[in-house]
Amino acid sequence: MRRRDVWPGSPGRAALTGCAVAVLLALTWTWPALGRGQLLYRDFVQVPDPVLGPSVLGTDGRAPRAVPLDAVTALLAPVVPSGVQQQVMLVASLALAGCGLAVLLRRRGAAACVVAAAVAVWSPYAAQRLLVGQPPTLLGWAMVPWLVVAVRRDGSPRRRVLAVLVAALPAALTPFGGLLALGVVVVTALAARHRPGRRRREPVVLGALGVAWCLPWVVAGLRGATAAGETSGARAFAVRADGVQGVLDVLGGGGIWAPAAALASRAHAPALVASTLLVLAAATVLVLAPSAPSDSMRVSPKDDGPHPHDLRVLGAALVLPTVVALALASGPGLALWAPAQHVPGLGILRDTHRLLGLTVLATAVLLGLGVQALRRRLGPVVAVGATATVLAVAVLGAPDAPARIHQAYRPTSFPPGWSAAVAVVGDRTTLVLPWQPFRRQAWVGGQPFLDPLPLALRGRVVASRNLTVPRDGGTVVVGSDDTTALRAWARGDLAALLDAGVEAVVTWADTPGEALAPPPGARRVETSGPLRVWLVDEPPTVRH
């Protein structure tokens, strides 16, 4: 007599159960971010009326880190407000990861779907990527299981290519997401060559498609970037793995380079032990799976879930990202990785913490398979207990994540005077001060956020790009700003400022950074709100 499933039902019902858990957990983390207004938190910023300016299109000389995301946001803004787009992306960056895993494992039973979805969503990795302000990067990670499903689906090659393209588009909104999607598609296509109806050239075709969806940021980089990556970026954005505690943190998906994005719980034994246990349990499933009875891993020919011979890929995803991230964090690995940043485009990979997302997904899949194996061998009661245990341990690995994210992501409305100041500047080339990339404003809540003004201005923006990252008791500065315009404004040389192409100067009030007194020849335009505007290309008004 066959044992009944933990939650009996069709594969579709199992997938829906896992998706429901994923969406519920995603909303548990992000519900305070839902409301009217924009989100302004670290790298995740937007303005009420984004425009297709040089900064958005990636033609202003900066590295195209938000190409084509900012352009897509600007194009959709008349139909879908930019704040709504942000909020959808924030929730989707978590929910889509769990839902994708549930769909991938739908023929393994509801228990496997629930476990995989919960482990992926409630992970230190997901929490720290959000706390560093990078939901777009997390969205690329969330599309990985969907890409695997698309590549493995049955049917005609044409439909398979279309499915891959649809799954890749959200990931391709950012350069790293596009590269990640390209790598996942090629590896999965190579692993799926044994499946019926596959053509030998399919991995090549899918690889060429992946190159195509990376073209927006590649072209922008070739046309607008003024320099290759900084060697200091390798050290600044390496994972933090100090001592045994740091290594365990990285092993569980933590260890992000930004201290402000670290979870306090990850500094203590319970959270570290919990996430380490999950990884060890996943590794145990990986080791024992090949020796399990054949019926424990048997699937139908139409199954899109992982096959026994795909365990090598899962094993590589479980181990290699962590090994690479730790190897490049210090010693000989860092010594080689730092000068390699001069290779154009390689700087996209300098944030090695992002690699750990693959380990998290592999852990989630393997734990789902483990619950399925327990169900088949020991019955539904044991499987239910194992499911509850895994969920509890996953939560223990990052218990303070929801509270931190609630504090970070809250919608805010731009103050009166913002739109008027932007309109005054028009399409002028603008120097933005104080000379640093991040701002703080009381109306935002006092948290730091990347200056969003370049997203609102139609002309070229001259602003600081240097990032300062605390490391090893000191600071690492990444970037090499051209301060010609800044120095001209500081010494009151308007002619030199005009020679540098600057026609307007905007300063943020009440924000960290040195406030420079305007020179006598600049014309101040009366504005309200946080922005002060001076026009350099027009003479001052003479009052009688």
Side-chain angles (χ1 to χ4, degrees):
M1 181 176 179
R2 297 179 63 184
R3 294 188 179 103
R4 298 177 62 191
D5 289 345
V6 178
W7 294 290
S10 66
R13 187 179 301 175
L16 286 176
T17 303
C19 288
V21 170
V23 172
L24 178 62
L25 293 180
L27 290 175
T28 299
W29 280 28
T30 62
W31 66 264
L34 307 181
R36 180 173 298 179
Q38 281 71 35
L39 299 174
L40 296 174
Y41 177 74
R42 297 196 178 275
D43 291 355
F44 198 46
V45 298
Q46 197 45 258
V47 295
D49 298 300
V51 298
L52 291 172
S55 298
V56 169
L57 296 174
T59 59
D60 63 343
R62 298 168 181 254
R65 296 187 182 93
V67 174
L69 171 61
D70 287 341
V72 172
T73 301
L75 290 172
L76 292 178
V79 180
V80 182
S82 59
V84 175
Q85 293 185 51
Q86 282 186 295
Q87 293 163 26
V88 169
M89 179 176 291
L90 178 63
V91 177
S93 67
L94 294 172
L96 284 177
C99 291
L101 290 174
V103 171
L104 181 65
L105 297 177
R106 64 189 181 277
R107 291 188 174 89
R108 306 290 178 161
C113 294
V114 167
V115 165
V119 170
V121 174
W122 201 298
S123 64
Y125 174 81
Q128 293 186 351
R129 294 321 301 186
L130 291 183
L131 290 174
V132 82
Q134 294 186 357
T137 296
L138 204 60
L139 181 62
W141 165 78
M143 297 312 298
V144 168
W146 293 100
L147 289 164
V148 174
V149 170
V151 174
R152 297 181 65 87
R153 78 185 302 272
D154 293 320
S156 68
R158 183 174 300 178
R159 290 187 177 182
R160 195 154 42 246
V161 168
L162 180 60
V164 169
L165 182 60
V166 171
L169 288 180
L173 290 173
T174 59
F176 180 80
L179 282 177
L180 179 63
L182 171 58
V184 169
V185 164
V186 170
V187 170
T188 307
L190 290 172
R193 286 179 298 174
H194 67 281
R195 297 172 70 89
R198 303 286 158 153
R199 297 179 179 177
R200 291 183 178 181
R201 294 183 297 176
E202 196 161 317
V204 177
V205 172
L206 292 176
L209 182 64
V211 172
W213 69 56
C214 290
L215 283 180
W217 63 266
V218 172
V219 172
L222 293 176
R223 292 183 58 186
T226 57
E230 298 286 334
T231 58
S232 56
R235 178 186 171 205
F237 302 113
V239 295
R240 293 178 182 267
D242 302 326
V244 176
Q245 177 177 318
V247 172
L248 291 178
D249 191 17
V250 172
L251 184 65
I256 197 165
W257 48 268
L263 295 169
S265 62
R266 303 293 296 172
H268 303 287
L272 295 177
V273 171
S275 57
T276 302
L277 286 176
L278 291 180
V279 176
L280 292 177
T284 301
V285 173
L286 182 67
V287 171
L288 296 180
S291 61
S294 58
D295 63 342
S296 70
M297 295 294 292
R298 184 176 296 161
V299 291
S300 70
K302 295 184 178 181
D303 186 10
D304 288 328
H307 289 212
H309 43 266
D310 292 330
L311 291 174
R312 291 182 180 179
V313 177
L314 281 172
L318 182 70
V319 175
L320 285 182
T322 301
V323 171
V324 171
L326 289 173
L328 299 181
S330 61
L334 180 60
L336 293 174
W337 184 235
Q341 300 301 300
H342 285 305
V343 178
L346 201 58
I348 295 173
L349 304 176
R350 65 186 183 181
D351 184 350
T352 51
H353 180 263
R354 291 189 291 200
L355 302 176
L356 303 182
L358 294 174
T359 296
V360 172
L361 293 176
T363 300
V365 170
L366 288 167
L367 289 175
L369 294 177
V371 169
Q372 180 210 24
L374 288 176
R375 182 196 68 194
R376 289 181 177 273
R377 285 188 167 198
L378 303 177
V381 175
V382 173
V384 169
T387 299
T389 301
V390 171
L391 298 186
V393 173
V395 171
L396 185 60
D400 50 344
R404 286 289 311 279
I405 294 169
H406 292 177
Q407 183 182 15
Y409 288 94
R410 292 184 178 273
T412 186
S413 297
F414 279 68
W418 170 271
S419 297
V422 169
V424 167
V425 173
D427 60 358
R428 293 176 172 87
T429 296
T430 306
L431 172 65
V432 181
L433 300 173
W435 192 256
Q436 60 182 47
F438 283 85
R439 311 296 180 203
R440 287 182 187 268
Q441 294 285 290
W443 50 274
V444 179
Q447 61 193 15
F449 58 95
L450 189 68
D451 194 334
L453 190 57
L455 302 177
L457 297 180
R458 296 187 178 278
R460 187 171 67 92
V461 174
V462 180
S464 175
R465 310 172 189 179
N466 286 359
L467 298 175
T468 302
V469 180
R471 294 291 308 214
D472 306 323
T475 57
V476 179
V477 177
V478 183
S480 53
D481 282 343
D482 180 358
T483 59
T484 302
L486 171 66
R487 288 183 278 110
W489 177 258
R491 65 177 182 267
D493 191 344
L494 296 185
L497 199 61
L498 286 170
D499 288 341
V502 174
E503 303 161 303
V505 177
V506 175
T507 65
W508 283 78
D510 304 321
T511 192
E514 183 181 1
L516 300 174
R523 181 169 77 87
R524 167 74 185 276
V525 179
E526 293 300 327
T527 58
S528 60
L531 303 181
R532 307 289 184 264
V533 180
W534 285 267
L535 300 181
V536 181
D537 59 344
E538 296 183 7
T541 302
V542 179
R543 296 183 179 180
H544 298 283

